[in-house]
Amino acid sequence: MRYFWISILLLGAISAPAQTADQLFERARQASNLQTQIDLLTKVIEKSPKHVQAYHYRADAYQALGNTRQAIADYNQVIALRPKDPFRYYARGIAYSHLKEPQLALADFTKAIHLKPSYKNFYLARAREYRSIGKYNLALADYTKYAGNWSQTGVGLWEEVIPVSLDAYRYDVAQQQVDALAAQGNDSASRHFWQGRIFQSDSKLDEAISSFSKAINRKSEWPLAYQWRGATYREIGDLDAALEDYTRVLELEPEAYWYNRRGLVYEEQKQFDKAVADYTRAIELNPKWAVAYNNRGFARMNLKQWGKAKSDFETAIRLDPSAPTPYVNLAGTYWTFKKDRKNTYANLQKAIKHNFKNYEALFDEDQKGWMFKDINQTQEFRSLLYR
């Protein structure tokens, strides 16, 4: 009897029908665990090597697990099998975007658009990719294709597209978009901030300050609004108000960039000790930032700390050999402190080699002319610049 039941069980095992690729695929679709999905889809592909959906679903599962390279390998198989399906290119483009490979992502989004130009989400994906690499005009064109006439645009999209219009210097388009947002009854900090940017670009500085202030009233801890208002105060010559705003920025975001910006205002106020302190703090936070060393060197020149100034300019040059301004300032140090004509000219030549163009500043006492006093009146000096 025992052997009888064993025979029955063996017979059942032998006669049980194997699952087809499509049945395994349905099991994979219903599985909630991603690794289980992948395992089942792998079996589908083993049974049916041209099962397009299995490759696509497995790619999606790999992508969800963060295995983007494996996802792309599967998307490649999908595209090889369905080369005229735009959604396959779109999916691979998203994967390339996650890998920070914008050119490959753009190529896939463009192919998807070519195959199905009426599908708006393709334009949105390409717009975001263009935005990520700073191609703002191309991004704006795609956002426009996605949104149509902007009348139904929600706040979320405005948060994306208006900054792109501003970064593309399309202030006319940005104004239309801000007006459309206002027509929807939007009174947000963002709308007033964007309006301030537009006013500022048009040199309507009082109106810009008013708009930035409205933004701050609605969002009191927004560093960017204080920064732009501070910059506008600086532009109209209200340096005390600019300092107040930059100080507020630093309370919210004590970053190297903001210490450098406040240092520039202290410089304008001839408070060079405070400028040096801010540049030093910026350097402590970002030790490889050439700009902060250059600015500290310039402030130290004004304090007649020649050796420290020279060291700062040399460090700035070492960190960024392509920037012309540290060479100019180093030349000024050699002349002002030592009347060293040879090194003055050598560093000016290096500045010119690295595309220094603002020659007039070297003759203006309010800019850099004071560093080249007397020597800038010689024919030799002019010949070096204008040869």
Side-chain angles (χ1 to χ4, degrees), residues 7 21 32 42 61 65 82 121 129 136 208 234 238 272 275-276 286:
S7 298
S32 58
T42 299
L65 286 174
R82 295 277 182 86
N121 282 350
E129 207 62 35
Y136 298 116
R234 182 183 173 194
D238 191 343
F272 296 110
V276 167
N286 188 354

Side-chain angles (χ1 to χ4, degrees), residues 364-379:
D364 186 343
E365 288 288 319
D366 293 328
Q367 296 185 57
K368 295 185 184 293
W370 64 272
M371 294 192 294
F372 299 98
K373 190 172 183 179
D374 297 331
I375 197 175
N376 61 8
Q377 299 304 311
T378 66
Q379 185 60 41

Side-chain angles (χ1 to χ4, degrees), residues 117-380:
S118 63
Y119 193 72
K120 291 186 175 183
N121 282 350
F122 296 160
Y123 294 102
L124 180 61
R126 192 171 68 173
R128 288 170 172 167
E129 207 62 35
Y130 277 135
R131 183 190 63 186
S132 75
I133 59 173
K135 293 190 175 182
Y136 298 116
N137 278 301
L138 292 173
L140 181 58
D142 275 348
Y143 275 121
T144 301
K145 290 174 184 175
Y146 171 75
N149 63 8
W150 304 107
S151 61
Q152 301 301 316
T153 300
V155 173
L157 186 60
W158 290 124
E159 293 283 348
E160 286 189 44
V161 74
I162 295 178
V164 170
S165 300
L166 295 170
D167 288 335
Y169 304 109
R170 292 298 309 275
Y171 297 109
D172 55 333
V173 175
Q175 186 64 72
Q176 294 172 9
Q177 293 165 343
V178 169
D179 288 344
L181 191 58
Q184 295 176 6
N186 185 288
D187 189 43
S188 66
S190 294
R191 179 174 76 81
H192 291 290
F193 173 74
W194 295 325
Q195 184 64 71
R197 290 277 309 275
I198 295 167
F199 281 141
Q200 205 265 357
S201 73
D202 198 28
S203 297
K204 296 178 179 178
L205 302 183
D206 289 336
E207 292 92 333
I209 288 170
S210 176
S211 289
F212 293 137
S213 297
K214 289 177 182 177
I216 289 166
N217 287 339
R218 288 156 178 77
K219 190 176 179 180
S220 61
E221 297 189 356
W222 191 7
L224 198 60
Y226 286 104
Q227 183 261 316
W228 274 92
R229 190 174 70 174
T232 310
Y233 275 132
R234 182 183 173 194
E235 194 169 346
I236 67 173
D238 191 343
L239 299 181
D240 288 333
L243 277 175
E244 186 176 333
D245 273 350
Y246 284 128
T247 298
R248 180 62 176 141
V249 172
L250 283 165
E251 291 171 357
L252 296 169
E253 286 186 358
E255 298 176 0
Y257 180 82
W258 303 122
Y259 279 105
N260 183 71
R261 296 291 293 184
R262 191 174 68 174
L264 292 170
V265 179
Y266 279 132
E267 251 188 55
E268 289 186 65
Q269 289 191 325
K270 310 299 182 186
Q271 298 190 65
F272 296 110
D273 284 325
K274 290 183 177 180
V276 167
D278 270 0
Y279 296 141
T280 299
R281 184 62 181 137
I283 289 166
E284 290 170 352
L285 292 168
N286 188 354
K288 295 185 178 181
W289 191 18
V291 169
Y293 283 99
N294 176 70
N295 290 344
R296 188 173 69 175
F298 188 76
R300 282 174 162 171
M301 278 188 72
N302 282 275
L303 292 170
K304 296 183 169 50
Q305 297 173 356
W306 308 112
K308 290 181 178 180
K310 178 175 176 291
S311 177
D312 276 344
F313 295 140
E314 289 171 343
T315 301
I317 289 167
R318 178 173 54 81
L319 291 170
D320 185 4
S322 65
T325 304
Y327 292 107
V328 174
N329 291 338
L330 184 57
T333 303
Y334 274 114
W335 179 251
T336 306
F337 180 44
K338 294 185 175 181
K339 295 298 185 283
D340 182 339
R341 190 180 298 266
K342 178 182 176 181
N343 279 306
T344 297
Y345 285 144
N347 279 285
L348 281 176
Q349 286 176 326
K350 290 176 183 177
I352 293 167
K353 179 182 177 181
H354 290 94
N355 297 314
F356 177 71
K357 301 293 185 184
N358 189 16
Y359 298 154
E360 296 307 309
L362 306 184
F363 301 94
D364 186 343
E365 288 288 319
D366 293 328
Q367 296 185 57
K368 295 185 184 293
W370 64 272
M371 294 192 294
F372 299 98
K373 190 172 183 179
D374 297 331
I375 197 175
N376 61 8
Q377 299 304 311
T378 66
Q379 185 60 41
E380 183 182 38

